[in-house]
């Protein structure tokens, strides 16, 4: 057995099975547990008990220290769980070992003390509200996280999201039950085990294991996980519109339900920034945004819009971007392509080979990617896997019309423009669709945990405030 | 014999689905070789595309070589039609003045694709669809037809017009006017209503009555009949033909088995006479099921499941029988554009080219499985894409060459 795809609190008996994952990075044997209703019931009972006996009695400062230590351990290449992650995750996630390592570094940096405290201050004003009544503008106030948070992860999300679900729950002193992506249940298990290495009692408030969502075989189990949830609990879904719809139907109406649907990103560049001096640097920064997690994240840009009239033409810039993506492809190769991805990339490339012949496009083939300079500004569905559509506009504000058909899915926008124009477009875009993060190219993939997620605070919907007014 | 004559030999055969297998494949090869040569020589864009693959007419020597032919994506037609219609002329293989009409595909969402046609190609397509209907459905001149759709004046879909033309070709124009009826009426407000009385009347007239429409129309009417306890017992050889899928009515979707039971319960049509048709909108054809529920490919078409790959050249490799791959469709009967297409749909060959189906007719037969899904990722999975199982017969746009005359 190379790793595990579950985390079950101590003292619960369950049946284990082995499953194999295989791709170009190797073959690994992952132990999973046999999922059934009884196991869910026992896990939920145990983690709620652990919350009462441990989480609620542990100061938030201590909880932050424990998670910080777990992250610190995982940042050490010599730590056994880090080694396990590096060995196994390229096979289960499909990300290249180099990208996976980069992702692990990012994750272990994110969930460190300073970042977590910043988030807590940002969310609550003072993290100590989670420990008990403290002075507030209302007199004295206390913050209580939900008794239980159920996280559901659909397929294909970036690995760190599942860890974020666990960490956020613990920071709110909520017991957490996660249904990980059955295609990648290993990383959340590794993180939970890393926390258990530091403090097993705290880790007892975590349970996770996968099952095939929506399968009639698990109807009874899902009734327990979703339909029998209570008022002081929450179900959070990260997944496709279909996954969200299917889960929402099952969740009891008393329970809080929060959904994070699919999202996308785009980049806009003003002509003043398309200069010989800036082009290479800009392309390099963009290449990071595009290549990170193989463009599969909610923040990943799928379209780039460049204003005409700069010293570097949009078509020329597409070539420069291709070179930088080529460099990224050398350093952080694209991961394993699924058969579906291969089909779609092939279809897209074939379509644009023809478009290039008739003069409507120019295509570039950087290592592990595809850059399409699209003259007709055709709106094509994103393929991810480092396939980027680059288009020109006469003036930057034209972008607002072009993105209308899909703006409700846009989360993150990277704007490269003068300060005034940056602010102007930030204001305009903030009113459009679900745009909730505006930054500069090169920063789309990095944001602190204190940043809002999809337009809301991380703890929104999970915290009950109690005021004591004497 | 020219390749077009070869096409006509197959199209005019008394029963092309019962030809000698070797003869059928030899004619298929010859027709496709000739068609590829025609498009390669006369279509500069397509020639440049083939050159990228390093494939020329001389490379298509054997039956297996057919898969070397460079495939165009249906996405290309969608894009050109949507964003720069004038570029459509760059992909035609005949003098522009020979274009007489465009067919437009449509779906519930997205932008339509336009395909240019000359008279000869239109005539051959009509013959093709009529032959498919005649040979696989065993229809005769006295049969009646009830379309579970609006009539020709109130719909522009190829589903309806194409099928009507096929029936006309099979039984004659005058008979078609007498023997074809439409079950949906459009009121003054533009709302469609099923006319159960018309349906019941045509049944009461006796004789074989074939039904035609999308699956949801069958479901709607069957449920209406069962609710009002009116059960029709259709004549034994009556058939239910369907095509078009559940476009715009996904909420009503039921399994083929459930639909079959509903149709049997409401109309008395046996399972073996319920026939689904796979619409190939990019080549404006359909593949109809035989009584063994297999969709037959006529000799003037080549359909295969190709291996998924990110290499342009690897689409040459075909999947073995019953194994899923990317569907590729080639037909030599269209002269105006290279009808060598891949749509991104997934399917499988269920009878090989050198074998016979259980029904006794020659292969191949195919099974459509699904649209190739979306790549993994929590980034935006799918913007609404056009679904192209129904095509719109747009004859209101008439062209002489590239000049619109109406």
């Amino acid at each position: 057995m190379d790793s595990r795809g579950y985390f079950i609190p101590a003292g619960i008996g369950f049946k284990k099975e082995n499953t194999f994952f295989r791709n170009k990075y190797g073959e690994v044997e992952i132990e999973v547990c046999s999922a059934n209703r009884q196991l869910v019931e026992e896990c939920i009972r145990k983690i709620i008990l652990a919350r009462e006996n441990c989480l609620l009695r542990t100061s938030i400062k201590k909880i932050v220290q424990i998670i910080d230590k777990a992250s610190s351990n995982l940042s050490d290449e010599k730590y056994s769980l880090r080694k396990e992650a590096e060995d196994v995750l390229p096979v289960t996630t499909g990300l290249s070992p180099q990208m996976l390592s980069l992702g692990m570094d990012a994750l272990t940096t994110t969930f460190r003390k300073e970042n977590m405290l910043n988030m807590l201050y940002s969310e609550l004003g003072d993290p100590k509200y989670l420990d008990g009544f403290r002075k507030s503008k209302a007199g004295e106030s206390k913050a209580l996280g939900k008794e239980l948070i159920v996280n559901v992860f659909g397929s294909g999300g970036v690995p760190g999201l599942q860890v974020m679900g666990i960490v956020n729950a613990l920071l709110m002193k909520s017991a957490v039950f996660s249904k990980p992506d059955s295609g990648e249940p290993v990383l959340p298990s590794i993180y939970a085990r890393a926390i258990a290495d530091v403090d097993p009692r705290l880790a007892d408030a975590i349970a996770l294991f996968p099952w095939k969502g929506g399968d009639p075989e698990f109807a009874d189990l899902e009734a327990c996980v979703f339909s029998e949830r209570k008022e002081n609990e929450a179900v959070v879904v990260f997944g496709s519109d279909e996954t969200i719809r299917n889960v929402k139907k099952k969740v009891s109406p008393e329970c809080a339900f929060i959904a994070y649907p699919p999202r996308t990103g785009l980049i806009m560049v003003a002509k003043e920034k398309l200069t010989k001096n800036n082009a290479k640097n800009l392309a390099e920064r963009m290449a990071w945004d595009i290549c990170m997690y193989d463009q599969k994240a909610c923040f990943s840009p799928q379209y780039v819009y460049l204003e005409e009239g700069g010293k570097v033409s949009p078509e020329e810039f597409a070539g420069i971007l291709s070179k930088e993506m080529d460099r990224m492809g050398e350093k952080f190769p694209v991961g394993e392509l699924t058969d579906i991805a291969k089909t779609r990339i092939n279809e897209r490339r074939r379509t644009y080979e023809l478009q290039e012949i008739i003069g409507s496009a120019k295509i570039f083939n950087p290592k592990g990617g595809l850059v399409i300079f699209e003259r007709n500004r055709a709106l094509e569905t994103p393929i991810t896997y480092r396939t980027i559509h680059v288009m020109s506009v006469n003036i930057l504000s034209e972008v607002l019309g072009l993105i209308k058909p899909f703006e409700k899915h846009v989360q993150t926008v990277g704007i490269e423009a003068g300060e005034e124009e940056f602010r102007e477009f930030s204001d305009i875009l903030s009113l459009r669709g679900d745009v909730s993060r505006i930054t500069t190219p090169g920063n789309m993939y990095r944001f602190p945990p204190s940043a809002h997620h999809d337009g809301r605070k991380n703890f929104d919907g999970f915290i009950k405030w109690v005021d004591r007014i004497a | 014999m020219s390749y077009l004559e070869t096409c006509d030999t197959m199209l005019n055969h008394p029963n092309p689905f019962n030809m000698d297998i070797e003869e059928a494949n030899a004619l298929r090869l010859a027709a496709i070789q000739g068609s590829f040569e025609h498009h390669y020589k006369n279509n500069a864009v397509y020639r440049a595309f083939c050159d990228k693959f390093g494939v020329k007419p001389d490379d298509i020597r054997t039956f297996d070589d057919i898969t070397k032919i460079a495939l165009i994506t249906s996405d290309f037609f969608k894009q050109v039609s949507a964003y720069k219609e004038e570029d459509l002329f760059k992909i035609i293989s005949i003098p522009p003045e020979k274009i007489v009409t465009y067919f437009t595909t449509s779906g519930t969402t997205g932008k339509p694709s336009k395909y240019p046609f000359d008279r000869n190609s239109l005539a051959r397509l009509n013959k093709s669809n009529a032959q498919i209907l005649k040979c696989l459905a065993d229809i005769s001149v006295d049969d009646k037809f009830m379309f579970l759709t609006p009539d020709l004046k109130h719909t522009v879909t190829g589903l309806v017009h194409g099928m009507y033309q096929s029936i006309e070709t099979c039984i004659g124009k005058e008979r078609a006017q007498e023997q074809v009826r439409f079950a949906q009426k459009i009121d003054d407000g533009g709302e469609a209503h099923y006319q159960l009385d018309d349906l019941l009347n045509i049944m009461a007239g006796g004789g074989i009555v074939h039904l035609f429409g999308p699956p949801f129309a069958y479901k709607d009417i069957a449920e209406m009949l069962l609710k009002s306890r009116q059960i029709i017992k259709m004549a034994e050889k009556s058939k239910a033909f369907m095509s078009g899928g559940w476009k715009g009515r996904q909420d009503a979707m039921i399994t083929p088995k459930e639909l079959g039971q509903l149709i049997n319960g409401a109309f008395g049509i046996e399972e073996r006479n319920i026939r689904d048709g796979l619409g190939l909108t990019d080549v404006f054809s359909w593949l109809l099921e035989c009584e063994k529920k297999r969709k037959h490919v006529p000799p003037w078409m080549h359909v295969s499941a190709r291996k998924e790959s990110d290499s342009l050249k690897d689409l040459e490799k075909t999947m073995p029988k019953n194994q899923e791959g990317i569907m590729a469709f080639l037909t030599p009967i269209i002269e105006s554009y290279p009808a060598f297409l891949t749509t991104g749909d997934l399917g499988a060959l269920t009878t090989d080219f050198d074998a016979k189906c259980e029904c006794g007719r020659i292969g191949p037969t195919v099974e459509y499985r699904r649209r190739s899904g979306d790549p993994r990722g929590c980034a935006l999975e799918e913007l609404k894409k056009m679904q192209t199982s129904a095509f719109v017969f747009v004859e209101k746009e008439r062209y002489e060459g590239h000049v619109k005359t109406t």
Side-chain angles (χ1 to χ4, degrees), chain B residues 238 240 256-264 268-276 289-293:
Chain B
S238 297
K257 189 176 173 184
E258 285 169 335
L259 183 63
Q261 285 168 348
L262 207 54
I263 292 171
N264 179 255
I269 296 179
E270 287 175 28
E271 176 62 27
R272 65 194 300 275
N273 287 332
I274 299 171
R275 309 287 184 86
D276 187 38
E289 273 180 355
C290 64
E291 55 271 30
K292 298 293 179 188
K293 301 293 185 183

PDB file of all heavy atoms in Angstrom, chain B residues 238 240 256-264 268-276 289-293:
ATOM      1  N   SER B 238     -46.699  -1.280 -38.734  1.00  0.00           N
ATOM      2  CA  SER B 238     -46.489   0.159 -38.476  1.00  0.00           C
ATOM      3  C   SER B 238     -45.233   0.347 -37.642  1.00  0.00           C
ATOM      4  O   SER B 238     -44.914  -0.487 -36.789  1.00  0.00           O
ATOM      5  CB  SER B 238     -47.674   0.734 -37.719  1.00  0.00           C
ATOM      6  OG  SER B 238     -48.844   0.632 -38.497  1.00  0.00           O
ATOM      7  N   ALA B 240     -42.451   3.160 -35.546  1.00  0.00           N
ATOM      8  CA  ALA B 240     -42.232   4.451 -34.892  1.00  0.00           C
ATOM      9  C   ALA B 240     -40.789   4.844 -35.155  1.00  0.00           C
ATOM     10  O   ALA B 240     -39.876   4.188 -34.660  1.00  0.00           O
ATOM     11  CB  ALA B 240     -42.490   4.331 -33.393  1.00  0.00           C
ATOM     12  N   PRO B 256     -34.320   4.624 -23.174  1.00  0.00           N
ATOM     13  CA  PRO B 256     -34.912   4.022 -24.369  1.00  0.00           C
ATOM     14  C   PRO B 256     -35.871   2.886 -24.034  1.00  0.00           C
ATOM     15  O   PRO B 256     -36.919   2.729 -24.682  1.00  0.00           O
ATOM     16  CB  PRO B 256     -33.684   3.499 -25.134  1.00  0.00           C
ATOM     17  CG  PRO B 256     -32.573   4.386 -24.706  1.00  0.00           C
ATOM     18  CD  PRO B 256     -32.856   4.731 -23.276  1.00  0.00           C
ATOM     19  N   LYS B 257     -35.537   2.133 -23.007  1.00  0.00           N
ATOM     20  CA  LYS B 257     -36.405   1.003 -22.620  1.00  0.00           C
ATOM     21  C   LYS B 257     -37.759   1.530 -22.138  1.00  0.00           C
ATOM     22  O   LYS B 257     -38.818   1.028 -22.538  1.00  0.00           O
ATOM     23  CB  LYS B 257     -35.718   0.216 -21.507  1.00  0.00           C
ATOM     24  CG  LYS B 257     -36.414  -1.103 -21.186  1.00  0.00           C
ATOM     25  CD  LYS B 257     -35.642  -1.900 -20.153  1.00  0.00           C
ATOM     26  CE  LYS B 257     -36.475  -3.120 -19.732  1.00  0.00           C
ATOM     27  NZ  LYS B 257     -35.846  -3.874 -18.674  1.00  0.00           N
ATOM     28  N   GLU B 258     -37.710   2.551 -21.310  1.00  0.00           N
ATOM     29  CA  GLU B 258     -38.965   3.123 -20.780  1.00  0.00           C
ATOM     30  C   GLU B 258     -39.791   3.714 -21.918  1.00  0.00           C
ATOM     31  O   GLU B 258     -41.008   3.550 -21.963  1.00  0.00           O
ATOM     32  CB  GLU B 258     -38.645   4.222 -19.759  1.00  0.00           C
ATOM     33  CG  GLU B 258     -38.162   3.675 -18.424  1.00  0.00           C
ATOM     34  CD  GLU B 258     -37.583   4.765 -17.514  1.00  0.00           C
ATOM     35  OE1 GLU B 258     -37.123   5.819 -18.019  1.00  0.00           O
ATOM     36  OE2 GLU B 258     -37.550   4.545 -16.298  1.00  0.00           O
ATOM     37  N   LEU B 259     -39.114   4.380 -22.849  1.00  0.00           N
ATOM     38  CA  LEU B 259     -39.828   4.985 -23.976  1.00  0.00           C
ATOM     39  C   LEU B 259     -40.463   3.894 -24.840  1.00  0.00           C
ATOM     40  O   LEU B 259     -41.610   4.019 -25.269  1.00  0.00           O
ATOM     41  CB  LEU B 259     -38.869   5.844 -24.801  1.00  0.00           C
ATOM     42  CG  LEU B 259     -39.501   6.599 -25.971  1.00  0.00           C
ATOM     43  CD1 LEU B 259     -40.539   7.608 -25.474  1.00  0.00           C
ATOM     44  CD2 LEU B 259     -38.426   7.338 -26.786  1.00  0.00           C
ATOM     45  N   GLY B 260     -39.709   2.828 -25.054  1.00  0.00           N
ATOM     46  CA  GLY B 260     -40.235   1.703 -25.836  1.00  0.00           C
ATOM     47  C   GLY B 260     -41.495   1.126 -25.210  1.00  0.00           C
ATOM     48  O   GLY B 260     -42.487   0.835 -25.881  1.00  0.00           O
ATOM     49  N   GLN B 261     -41.456   1.004 -23.907  1.00  0.00           N
ATOM     50  CA  GLN B 261     -42.632   0.445 -23.200  1.00  0.00           C
ATOM     51  C   GLN B 261     -43.826   1.382 -23.317  1.00  0.00           C
ATOM     52  O   GLN B 261     -44.968   0.947 -23.494  1.00  0.00           O
ATOM     53  CB  GLN B 261     -42.291   0.229 -21.716  1.00  0.00           C
ATOM     54  CG  GLN B 261     -41.407  -0.989 -21.496  1.00  0.00           C
ATOM     55  CD  GLN B 261     -40.818  -1.065 -20.090  1.00  0.00           C
ATOM     56  OE1 GLN B 261     -40.881  -0.107 -19.319  1.00  0.00           O
ATOM     57  NE2 GLN B 261     -40.231  -2.189 -19.766  1.00  0.00           N
ATOM     58  N   LEU B 262     -43.546   2.665 -23.253  1.00  0.00           N
ATOM     59  CA  LEU B 262     -44.615   3.670 -23.360  1.00  0.00           C
ATOM     60  C   LEU B 262     -45.243   3.623 -24.754  1.00  0.00           C
ATOM     61  O   LEU B 262     -46.476   3.627 -24.912  1.00  0.00           O
ATOM     62  CB  LEU B 262     -43.992   5.045 -23.108  1.00  0.00           C
ATOM     63  CG  LEU B 262     -44.836   6.168 -22.556  1.00  0.00           C
ATOM     64  CD1 LEU B 262     -45.533   5.778 -21.279  1.00  0.00           C
ATOM     65  CD2 LEU B 262     -43.948   7.390 -22.276  1.00  0.00           C
ATOM     66  N   ILE B 263     -44.399   3.552 -25.763  1.00  0.00           N
ATOM     67  CA  ILE B 263     -44.890   3.522 -27.155  1.00  0.00           C
ATOM     68  C   ILE B 263     -45.688   2.247 -27.407  1.00  0.00           C
ATOM     69  O   ILE B 263     -46.759   2.265 -28.030  1.00  0.00           O
ATOM     70  CB  ILE B 263     -43.714   3.650 -28.147  1.00  0.00           C
ATOM     71  CG1 ILE B 263     -43.097   5.036 -28.052  1.00  0.00           C
ATOM     72  CG2 ILE B 263     -44.164   3.365 -29.583  1.00  0.00           C
ATOM     73  CD1 ILE B 263     -41.797   5.226 -28.825  1.00  0.00           C
ATOM     74  N   ASN B 264     -45.181   1.162 -26.874  1.00  0.00           N
ATOM     75  CA  ASN B 264     -45.890  -0.109 -27.034  1.00  0.00           C
ATOM     76  C   ASN B 264     -47.243  -0.055 -26.338  1.00  0.00           C
ATOM     77  O   ASN B 264     -48.263  -0.487 -26.868  1.00  0.00           O
ATOM     78  CB  ASN B 264     -45.020  -1.238 -26.473  1.00  0.00           C
ATOM     79  CG  ASN B 264     -45.705  -2.594 -26.578  1.00  0.00           C
ATOM     80  OD1 ASN B 264     -46.193  -3.133 -25.585  1.00  0.00           O
ATOM     81  ND2 ASN B 264     -45.760  -3.143 -27.785  1.00  0.00           N
ATOM     82  N   GLY B 268     -49.396   0.319 -29.391  1.00  0.00           N
ATOM     83  CA  GLY B 268     -49.388  -1.092 -29.769  1.00  0.00           C
ATOM     84  C   GLY B 268     -48.269  -1.429 -30.760  1.00  0.00           C
ATOM     85  O   GLY B 268     -48.333  -2.435 -31.449  1.00  0.00           O
ATOM     86  N   ILE B 269     -47.262  -0.556 -30.852  1.00  0.00           N
ATOM     87  CA  ILE B 269     -46.151  -0.826 -31.785  1.00  0.00           C
ATOM     88  C   ILE B 269     -45.122  -1.687 -31.060  1.00  0.00           C
ATOM     89  O   ILE B 269     -44.697  -1.381 -29.940  1.00  0.00           O
ATOM     90  CB  ILE B 269     -45.492   0.492 -32.261  1.00  0.00           C
ATOM     91  CG1 ILE B 269     -46.494   1.311 -33.072  1.00  0.00           C
ATOM     92  CG2 ILE B 269     -44.250   0.193 -33.113  1.00  0.00           C
ATOM     93  CD1 ILE B 269     -45.952   2.642 -33.575  1.00  0.00           C
ATOM     94  N   GLU B 270     -44.743  -2.768 -31.728  1.00  0.00           N
ATOM     95  CA  GLU B 270     -43.784  -3.692 -31.099  1.00  0.00           C
ATOM     96  C   GLU B 270     -42.398  -3.072 -31.016  1.00  0.00           C
ATOM     97  O   GLU B 270     -42.033  -2.237 -31.841  1.00  0.00           O
ATOM     98  CB  GLU B 270     -43.656  -4.956 -31.960  1.00  0.00           C
ATOM     99  CG  GLU B 270     -44.858  -5.871 -31.901  1.00  0.00           C
ATOM    100  CD  GLU B 270     -44.672  -7.017 -32.884  1.00  0.00           C
ATOM    101  OE1 GLU B 270     -43.514  -7.390 -33.161  1.00  0.00           O
ATOM    102  OE2 GLU B 270     -45.702  -7.498 -33.390  1.00  0.00           O
ATOM    103  N   GLU B 271     -41.654  -3.559 -30.068  1.00  0.00           N
ATOM    104  CA  GLU B 271     -40.291  -3.097 -29.827  1.00  0.00           C
ATOM    105  C   GLU B 271     -39.451  -3.112 -31.110  1.00  0.00           C
ATOM    106  O   GLU B 271     -38.725  -2.165 -31.410  1.00  0.00           O
ATOM    107  CB  GLU B 271     -39.669  -4.016 -28.765  1.00  0.00           C
ATOM    108  CG  GLU B 271     -38.224  -3.760 -28.436  1.00  0.00           C
ATOM    109  CD  GLU B 271     -37.943  -2.393 -27.857  1.00  0.00           C
ATOM    110  OE1 GLU B 271     -38.854  -1.800 -27.229  1.00  0.00           O
ATOM    111  OE2 GLU B 271     -36.834  -1.885 -28.054  1.00  0.00           O
ATOM    112  N   ARG B 272     -39.557  -4.188 -31.896  1.00  0.00           N
ATOM    113  CA  ARG B 272     -38.715  -4.327 -33.088  1.00  0.00           C
ATOM    114  C   ARG B 272     -39.048  -3.274 -34.143  1.00  0.00           C
ATOM    115  O   ARG B 272     -38.266  -3.037 -35.062  1.00  0.00           O
ATOM    116  CB  ARG B 272     -38.851  -5.726 -33.681  1.00  0.00           C
ATOM    117  CG  ARG B 272     -40.237  -6.071 -34.223  1.00  0.00           C
ATOM    118  CD  ARG B 272     -40.411  -7.561 -34.497  1.00  0.00           C
ATOM    119  NE  ARG B 272     -39.472  -8.082 -35.470  1.00  0.00           N
ATOM    120  CZ  ARG B 272     -39.646  -8.034 -36.789  1.00  0.00           C
ATOM    121  NH1 ARG B 272     -40.729  -7.482 -37.302  1.00  0.00           N
ATOM    122  NH2 ARG B 272     -38.754  -8.542 -37.606  1.00  0.00           N
ATOM    123  N   ASN B 273     -40.212  -2.670 -34.027  1.00  0.00           N
ATOM    124  CA  ASN B 273     -40.623  -1.653 -34.995  1.00  0.00           C
ATOM    125  C   ASN B 273     -40.441  -0.229 -34.466  1.00  0.00           C
ATOM    126  O   ASN B 273     -40.929   0.730 -35.080  1.00  0.00           O
ATOM    127  CB  ASN B 273     -42.072  -1.881 -35.419  1.00  0.00           C
ATOM    128  CG  ASN B 273     -42.197  -3.080 -36.343  1.00  0.00           C
ATOM    129  OD1 ASN B 273     -41.251  -3.414 -37.073  1.00  0.00           O
ATOM    130  ND2 ASN B 273     -43.342  -3.745 -36.314  1.00  0.00           N
ATOM    131  N   ILE B 274     -39.793  -0.109 -33.350  1.00  0.00           N
ATOM    132  CA  ILE B 274     -39.466   1.229 -32.838  1.00  0.00           C
ATOM    133  C   ILE B 274     -38.027   1.494 -33.250  1.00  0.00           C
ATOM    134  O   ILE B 274     -37.104   0.810 -32.821  1.00  0.00           O
ATOM    135  CB  ILE B 274     -39.634   1.305 -31.306  1.00  0.00           C
ATOM    136  CG1 ILE B 274     -41.089   1.015 -30.932  1.00  0.00           C
ATOM    137  CG2 ILE B 274     -39.210   2.685 -30.789  1.00  0.00           C
ATOM    138  CD1 ILE B 274     -41.323   0.846 -29.437  1.00  0.00           C
ATOM    139  N   ARG B 275     -37.827   2.472 -34.109  1.00  0.00           N
ATOM    140  CA  ARG B 275     -36.518   2.661 -34.742  1.00  0.00           C
ATOM    141  C   ARG B 275     -35.960   4.069 -34.504  1.00  0.00           C
ATOM    142  O   ARG B 275     -36.541   5.064 -34.930  1.00  0.00           O
ATOM    143  CB  ARG B 275     -36.631   2.460 -36.256  1.00  0.00           C
ATOM    144  CG  ARG B 275     -37.308   1.174 -36.676  1.00  0.00           C
ATOM    145  CD  ARG B 275     -36.433  -0.030 -36.462  1.00  0.00           C
ATOM    146  NE  ARG B 275     -37.086  -1.233 -36.961  1.00  0.00           N
ATOM    147  CZ  ARG B 275     -37.012  -1.647 -38.221  1.00  0.00           C
ATOM    148  NH1 ARG B 275     -36.309  -0.975 -39.100  1.00  0.00           N
ATOM    149  NH2 ARG B 275     -37.647  -2.745 -38.596  1.00  0.00           N
ATOM    150  N   ASP B 276     -34.826   4.082 -33.879  1.00  0.00           N
ATOM    151  CA  ASP B 276     -34.167   5.365 -33.666  1.00  0.00           C
ATOM    152  C   ASP B 276     -33.268   5.681 -34.854  1.00  0.00           C
ATOM    153  O   ASP B 276     -32.723   4.763 -35.492  1.00  0.00           O
ATOM    154  CB  ASP B 276     -33.328   5.298 -32.378  1.00  0.00           C
ATOM    155  CG  ASP B 276     -32.734   6.637 -31.991  1.00  0.00           C
ATOM    156  OD1 ASP B 276     -33.412   7.671 -32.164  1.00  0.00           O
ATOM    157  OD2 ASP B 276     -31.584   6.659 -31.519  1.00  0.00           O
ATOM    158  N   GLU B 289     -32.009   2.645 -37.601  1.00  0.00           N
ATOM    159  CA  GLU B 289     -31.917   1.316 -36.977  1.00  0.00           C
ATOM    160  C   GLU B 289     -32.668   0.277 -37.791  1.00  0.00           C
ATOM    161  O   GLU B 289     -33.737   0.541 -38.331  1.00  0.00           O
ATOM    162  CB  GLU B 289     -32.565   1.365 -35.586  1.00  0.00           C
ATOM    163  CG  GLU B 289     -31.641   1.784 -34.494  1.00  0.00           C
ATOM    164  CD  GLU B 289     -32.296   1.825 -33.126  1.00  0.00           C
ATOM    165  OE1 GLU B 289     -33.526   1.607 -33.005  1.00  0.00           O
ATOM    166  OE2 GLU B 289     -31.570   2.078 -32.157  1.00  0.00           O
ATOM    167  N   CYS B 290     -32.105  -0.936 -37.785  1.00  0.00           N
ATOM    168  CA  CYS B 290     -32.827  -2.075 -38.345  1.00  0.00           C
ATOM    169  C   CYS B 290     -33.662  -2.697 -37.232  1.00  0.00           C
ATOM    170  O   CYS B 290     -33.676  -2.193 -36.110  1.00  0.00           O
ATOM    171  CB  CYS B 290     -31.839  -3.101 -38.903  1.00  0.00           C
ATOM    172  SG  CYS B 290     -30.771  -3.850 -37.640  1.00  0.00           S
ATOM    173  N   GLU B 291     -34.282  -3.797 -37.527  1.00  0.00           N
ATOM    174  CA  GLU B 291     -35.118  -4.452 -36.516  1.00  0.00           C
ATOM    175  C   GLU B 291     -34.294  -5.039 -35.376  1.00  0.00           C
ATOM    176  O   GLU B 291     -34.838  -5.365 -34.330  1.00  0.00           O
ATOM    177  CB  GLU B 291     -35.992  -5.546 -37.153  1.00  0.00           C
ATOM    178  CG  GLU B 291     -35.241  -6.597 -37.941  1.00  0.00           C
ATOM    179  CD  GLU B 291     -35.046  -6.222 -39.414  1.00  0.00           C
ATOM    180  OE1 GLU B 291     -34.957  -5.003 -39.732  1.00  0.00           O
ATOM    181  OE2 GLU B 291     -34.947  -7.134 -40.235  1.00  0.00           O
ATOM    182  N   LYS B 292     -32.998  -5.162 -35.579  1.00  0.00           N
ATOM    183  CA  LYS B 292     -32.109  -5.631 -34.499  1.00  0.00           C
ATOM    184  C   LYS B 292     -31.509  -4.465 -33.725  1.00  0.00           C
ATOM    185  O   LYS B 292     -30.591  -4.643 -32.924  1.00  0.00           O
ATOM    186  CB  LYS B 292     -30.970  -6.489 -35.096  1.00  0.00           C
ATOM    187  CG  LYS B 292     -31.463  -7.744 -35.795  1.00  0.00           C
ATOM    188  CD  LYS B 292     -32.088  -8.729 -34.832  1.00  0.00           C
ATOM    189  CE  LYS B 292     -32.593  -9.953 -35.574  1.00  0.00           C
ATOM    190  NZ  LYS B 292     -33.365 -10.854 -34.701  1.00  0.00           N
ATOM    191  N   LYS B 293     -32.043  -3.292 -33.944  1.00  0.00           N
ATOM    192  CA  LYS B 293     -31.655  -2.073 -33.212  1.00  0.00           C
ATOM    193  C   LYS B 293     -30.223  -1.653 -33.491  1.00  0.00           C
ATOM    194  O   LYS B 293     -29.525  -1.148 -32.604  1.00  0.00           O
ATOM    195  CB  LYS B 293     -31.830  -2.280 -31.698  1.00  0.00           C
ATOM    196  CG  LYS B 293     -33.239  -2.635 -31.296  1.00  0.00           C
ATOM    197  CD  LYS B 293     -34.152  -1.479 -31.542  1.00  0.00           C
ATOM    198  CE  LYS B 293     -35.531  -1.786 -31.019  1.00  0.00           C
ATOM    199  NZ  LYS B 293     -36.468  -0.736 -31.302  1.00  0.00           N
TER     200      LYS B 293
END
